Amino acid sequence: MIPGEYESTFIFNKVAKQWGAYSYDAKEDALRVVVPSEQTSTMEENLVYEINPDSFEIKWEYGKASAKIAPAQ
């Protein structure tokens, strides 16, 4: 994920078992999704991944970004 003040980018990469971005290669990205970023009033000390039936959300400090998930056609 690339967080930003107004928008964030979720990156889905095809290479599993990477730690951090040390060997990250953008050519291996399967999908990038740009979504709006939001501010929250609640502090999240740890990075939180939340999967919901129709969306997923990432929270960190006072920031949040979420994306809708559409059913496969």
Side-chain angles (χ1 to χ4, degrees):
M1 177 181 173
I2 303 171
E5 185 175 354
Y6 301 105
E7 66 182 21
S8 296
T9 304
F10 292 135
I11 302 169
F12 299 89
N13 192 273
K14 295 181 272 186
V15 179
K17 298 185 182 180
Q18 293 185 72
W19 187 86
Y22 300 108
S23 61
Y24 170 72
D25 183 353
K27 292 181 283 187
E28 296 295 327
D29 289 353
L31 176 67
R32 283 180 170 235
V33 180
V34 178
V35 298
S37 295
E38 300 175 40
Q39 291 286 5
T40 65
S41 59
T42 306
M43 168 68 161
E44 292 290 346
E45 193 165 321
N46 297 312
L47 181 63
V48 175
Y49 296 91
E50 189 171 298
I51 308 298
N52 302 306
D54 65 345
S55 66
F56 66 92
E57 192 168 86
I58 296 178
K59 300 177 197 174
W60 66 100
E61 294 185 355
Y62 290 99
K64 175 175 93 168
S66 61
K68 296 283 183 195
I69 300 171
Q73 299 288 325

